Amino acid sequence: MTTISRWVCILIVLVLGVIVILGLVFGLKKNKGTTNKGTTRNLKEIVVERCLMFIKEVDTSDNKCDQIWSTFKHAFIGKNPCNVKMGDYDQFIDTVHQYISRNKTLFWSKTQQIAHDFTKATKCFMTLEDTLVGYMMDGLTWCGQNSSMEFDYTYCPGYKECENNPVSSFWKRASMNFAESAQGRVAVMLNGSMSQPFSTSSIFGSIEVNHFNSSIISHVNIISVISSTYSGPCNSMSIRNLTSILKNKRINSTCKAITVSEIQNCTSKHNPQSCDCVINGEL
Ligand SMILES: *[C@@H]1O[C@H](CO)[C@@H](O)[C@H](O)[C@H]1NC(C)=O
Ligand SMILES: *[C@@H]1O[C@H](CO)[C@@H](O)[C@H](O)[C@H]1NC(C)=O
Ligand SMILES: *[C@@H]1O[C@H](CO)[C@@H](O)[C@H](O)[C@H]1NC(C)=O
Ligand SMILES: *[C@@H]1O[C@H](CO)[C@@H](O)[C@H](O)[C@H]1NC(C)=O
Ligand SMILES: *[C@@H]1O[C@H](CO)[C@@H](O)[C@H](O)[C@H]1NC(C)=O
Ligand SMILES: *[C@@H]1O[C@H](CO)[C@@H](O)[C@H](O)[C@H]1NC(C)=O
Ligand SMILES: *[C@@H]1O[C@H](CO)[C@@H](O)[C@H](O)[C@H]1NC(C)=O
């Protein structure tokens, strides 16, 4: 072997080694997020406890947590976990009573963390996860089994295996209900750092926008969350798409780009003006 081909060999081995290591690291990382776990242990206790806590803190006292739990369970128990549809949660959604005040609804897409930090700090708005329905199930996994009254604690299918799994269908149904009940001025936080801040394949783009009721929504305040002031994502094709979808539904909208640090600045001061500084400021 010549020296050159030896070096080439060493180089190839090194490159392959790096690829394998990177593959392992990313593969494991990815797996961690997408590995399908079974039903969350103590699901009933967690859900009922969250329900009671929510009712104690927010006044929705005509809710009965036992009844909510049983209609929830009824939606998917004993069913093939790849055949639970949005409509299976209709009765559950009807059982939960919650009124969201006008001008208080906040939608989000690819801005989960900052949107929730914002609603937690300011209490001016509510995301789905700040309502009873979303609060009870946030972060949990559940599924049943064909012709058995047991939960499956070992494995629940994810969105990639089948669209009509109990968790995805739940969030779609809950999002639909949340969007239908939005009134007055509503807001949505989109991720202005992405090439498509508004995507028609997101839950917001495929379900929520389609269920906006133009007779009760007066205005949509689009907030494009960006990392720096340089980008001008309100003019992006995808946000113009959203504006035109809303226009077709006869809903007016405005878009404002706002930086992550402006939002953090605003949520770190726990004062009443913080309600205005992100969302109502420039209407
Ligand atoms: C909602 O916002 C509109 C416009 O700013 C205002 O006129 C109305 O009073 C608000 N409603 C509530 C319940 O805050
Ligand atoms: C926008 O999306 C990018 C890429 O997914 C993410 O790193 C960033 O945190 C998101 N920005 C916000 C404000 O959520
Ligand atoms: C589960 O039920 C479906 C019909 O809903 C059926 O096609 C399937 O074969 C069943 N699977 C098992 C393991 O029983
Ligand atoms: C929209 O809201 C109005 C007024 O509350 C209501 O009568 C109507 O049924 C709603 N439309 C839909 C599609 O939910
Ligand atoms: C805009 O919407 C059209 C269909 O409504 C879609 O084909 C197109 O990909 C969208 N463009 C962007 C940038 O989102
Ligand atoms: C929407 O905007 C148009 C033009 O700015 C205005 O004339 C109209 O009253 C607005 N509609 C609503 C429902 O606010
Ligand atoms: C944060 O708030 C202070 C006082 O309201 C203001 O002077 C400062 O410019 C703000 N910083 C950002 C990044 O918006």
Side-chain angles (χ1 to χ4, degrees), residues 101-103 184-185 218 283:
S101 316
R102 275 183 92 78
N103 306 345
R185 295 179 162 268
S218 57
L283 284 180

Side-chain angles (χ1 to χ4, degrees), residues 110-111 114 191 194 225 260:
K110 311 274 163 35
T111 53
I114 201 158
N191 188 326
M194 301 191 71
V225 184
V260 169

Side-chain angles (χ1 to χ4, degrees), residues 5-22:
S5 59
R6 253 174 57 197
W7 276 111
V8 168
C9 272
I10 289 172
L11 200 67
I12 288 173
V13 167
L14 275 177
V15 167
L16 284 178
V18 168
I19 289 173
V20 166
I21 288 169
L22 284 179

